[in-house]
């Protein structure tokens, strides 16, 4: 089939192109099974950040979309170039300062949040429900539920494939990371990169 083009030739405005082709047909049963993630049916990921399951960094992760099921508890495991998760966190809790080798987007669903960024988390962005903060690759960040009740924030990892292996910590956090993992009983390897 050939694309249909409509062009306005009365001035220098570029033309508009319309593409015509058959769409993909979807079986309704397949839609529910593979393409819809209902929040109340999402399963908590018990393995992610298990070293932070208790204490001031405690939180629960629920994955809605994961490229080819890289995050195994995700409901939607079809190919994508991103991952979507929800983090549920009690009031006052804050995650450990860290960075990703991929862009990460935060969108609060409920509650009041503060996202700190910079080598020491010295800068702050306050977010309310449906505000959005896109953190670039390599920027140290942490987030905290500053509200009075348990709240939910959507996290989008802007990368296909393994996103958890793309986390790193700052040079000043070596002792903290070693201590955290030693108390969890897990073997660790710390690699210093430029």
């Amino acid at each position: 089939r050939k694309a249909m083009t409509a062009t306005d030739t009365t001035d220098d405005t570029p033309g508009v192109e319309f593409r015509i082709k058959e769409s993909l047909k979807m079986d309704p049963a397949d839609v529910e099974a593979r393409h819809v993630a209902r929040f109340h049916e999402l399963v908590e990921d018990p393995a992610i950040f298990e070293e932070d399951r208790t204490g001031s960094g405690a939180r629960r992760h629920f994955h809605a979309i994961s490229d080819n099921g890289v995050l195994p508890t995700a409901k939607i495991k079809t190919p994508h170039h991103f991952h979507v998760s929800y983090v549920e966190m009690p009031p006052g809790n804050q995650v450990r300062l860290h960075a990703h080798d991929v862009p990460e987007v935060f969108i609060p669903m409920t509650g009041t949040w503060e996202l700190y960024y910079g080598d020491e988390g010295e800068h702050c962005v306050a977010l309310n429900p449906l505000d959005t903060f896109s953190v670039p690759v390599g920027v140290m960040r942490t987030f905290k539920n500053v509200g009075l009740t348990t709240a939910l924030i959507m996290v989008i990892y802007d990368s296909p494939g393994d996103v958890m292996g793309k986390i790193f910590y700052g040079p000043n956090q070596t002792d903290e990371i070693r201590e955290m993992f030693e108390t969890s009983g897990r073997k660790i390897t710390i690699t210093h990169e430029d």
Side-chain angles (χ1 to χ4, degrees), residues 94 97 114-126 133 139-142:
Q94 179 174 345
L97 189 68
E114 288 182 350
L115 282 84
Y116 302 93
Y117 64 96
D119 288 344
E120 303 292 329
E122 65 272 21
H123 307 288
C124 179
V125 173
F133 181 31
V139 173
M140 287 291 173
R141 84 287 310 264
T142 177

Side-chain angles (χ1 to χ4, degrees):
R1 296 206 166 162
K2 197 172 176 186
M4 178 179 76
T5 304
T7 306
D8 178 0
T9 58
T10 60
D11 58 28
D12 292 333
T13 305
V16 179
E17 181 177 318
F18 299 91
R19 297 174 60 226
I20 308 295
K21 69 179 197 175
E22 294 293 324
S23 68
L24 176 68
K25 306 301 183 238
M26 295 180 73
D27 176 5
D30 186 52
V31 168
E32 275 298 322
R34 298 182 60 226
H35 300 280
V36 175
R38 305 211 182 273
F39 184 78
H40 71 278
E41 295 174 354
L42 296 181
V43 176
E44 180 183 1
D45 185 339
I48 194 168
F49 301 115
E50 62 183 306
E51 64 278 2
D52 281 332
R53 302 305 282 176
T54 60
S56 63
R59 60 202 179 271
R60 299 176 358 136
H61 287 258
F62 301 88
H63 309 301
I65 299 174
S66 180
D67 177 43
N68 291 309
V70 169
L71 301 172
T73 62
K75 174 70 167 80
I76 299 172
K77 299 177 181 183
T78 53
H80 286 83
H81 293 280
F82 60 90
H83 303 264
V84 175
S85 298
Y86 296 95
V87 177
E88 180 184 78
M89 184 178 280
N93 282 17
Q94 179 174 345
V95 303
R96 188 176 316 282
L97 189 68
H98 66 284
H100 291 265
D101 284 332
V102 302
E104 185 176 28
V105 177
F106 296 93
I107 305 171
M109 301 287 98
T110 63
T112 306
W113 297 81
E114 288 182 350
L115 282 84
Y116 302 93
Y117 64 96
D119 288 344
E120 303 292 329
E122 65 272 21
H123 307 288
C124 179
V125 173
L127 296 179
N128 292 305
L130 305 181
D131 291 344
T132 302
F133 181 31
S134 177
V135 183
V137 170
V139 173
M140 287 291 173
R141 84 287 310 264
T142 177
F143 56 97
K144 180 178 184 176
N145 176 358
V146 295
L148 301 176
T149 61
T150 296
L152 195 65
I153 191 167
M154 178 191 298
V155 180
I156 302 170
Y157 303 102
D158 187 7
S159 176
D162 177 25
V163 291
M164 293 300 111
K166 297 179 180 178
I167 297 173
F168 63 94
Y169 301 93
N172 59 344
Q173 293 177 278
T174 304
D175 292 339
E176 176 188 355
I177 298 304
R178 183 177 287 113
E179 190 176 296
M180 171 184 66
F181 280 96
E182 284 174 354
T183 60
S184 74
R186 293 169 59 197
K187 181 182 182 239
I188 66 163
T189 302
I190 295 177
T191 305
H192 292 268
E193 300 177 10
D194 292 333

